[in-house]
Amino acid sequence: MLFFFNPEAEGVDPVAEAVVAIAADRNQYNFEVLGIGVGSSTDKVRSFAAQKGFDFSVMDDSRGRITRKLNLRSPTTLLSIDSEGYLGDLAMTHFNTDVPNASKVIEDSVREKLRLPKNSEVPVGELNQNPR
């Protein structure tokens, strides 16, 4: 999953929080996340990534080379790429950040597009009938 973000853009915070939550499952479900900071300075991208707790790689595209090649116009974009290098089912540029618990709403929507279970759907082990 590619996460293009401008740390100064309005509404980027809940999207970043959703991406961090989804990225926590990347080893279990065999996918990677790459953050690409756009439209800002390298220092602001680095600071935002640290503040939000990104534990995935982040590239600096403050000059816009990557975003221009992909013709991206939104300051916050999520794209998926399949194992053969083609764009997948996830292509999101508009996020509803005006709702209560926006990061969870965004996370659930992205999980659905990536065919990942929602956190509440993660299977748990069987209950031990005779605990000691």
Side-chain angles (χ1 to χ4, degrees):
M1 181 171 70
L2 301 178
F3 172 41
F4 292 85
F5 66 95
N6 180 333
E8 299 173 286
E10 185 177 330
V12 71
D13 288 331
V15 180
E17 292 161 9
V19 169
V20 167
I22 293 166
D25 290 343
R26 66 186 182 273
N27 291 332
Q28 181 178 0
Y29 295 105
N30 195 28
F31 68 95
E32 285 297 327
V33 177
L34 175 63
I36 303 170
V38 299
S40 193
S41 70
T42 301
D43 290 337
K44 288 181 183 178
V45 167
R46 187 177 295 131
S47 174
F48 182 81
Q51 175 192 10
K52 293 298 176 187
F54 290 4
D55 65 346
F56 47 85
S57 297
V58 176
M59 292 176 56
D60 175 32
D61 188 36
S62 55
R63 293 185 180 176
R65 291 179 182 158
I66 299 169
T67 52
R68 276 195 302 275
K69 285 187 186 239
L70 294 174
N71 199 26
L72 298 178
R73 300 188 190 281
S74 175
T76 308
T77 302
L78 291 173
L79 298 174
S80 64
I81 298 180
D82 68 18
S83 60
E84 295 178 7
Y86 294 100
L87 286 177
D89 292 337
L90 175 67
M92 297 178 73
T93 57
H94 300 306
F95 304 91
N96 189 356
T97 59
D98 296 331
V99 297
N101 207 5
S103 63
K104 182 65 175 145
V105 171
I106 293 166
E107 177 187 347
D108 288 348
S109 177
V110 173
R111 284 181 177 281
E112 182 178 330
K113 288 185 180 287
L114 292 175
R115 297 183 185 104
L116 297 173
K118 294 180 182 177
N119 277 339
S120 60
E121 296 174 355
V122 175
V124 296
E126 289 185 33
L127 180 63
N128 185 348
Q129 298 297 326
N130 300 313
R132 293 188 189 245

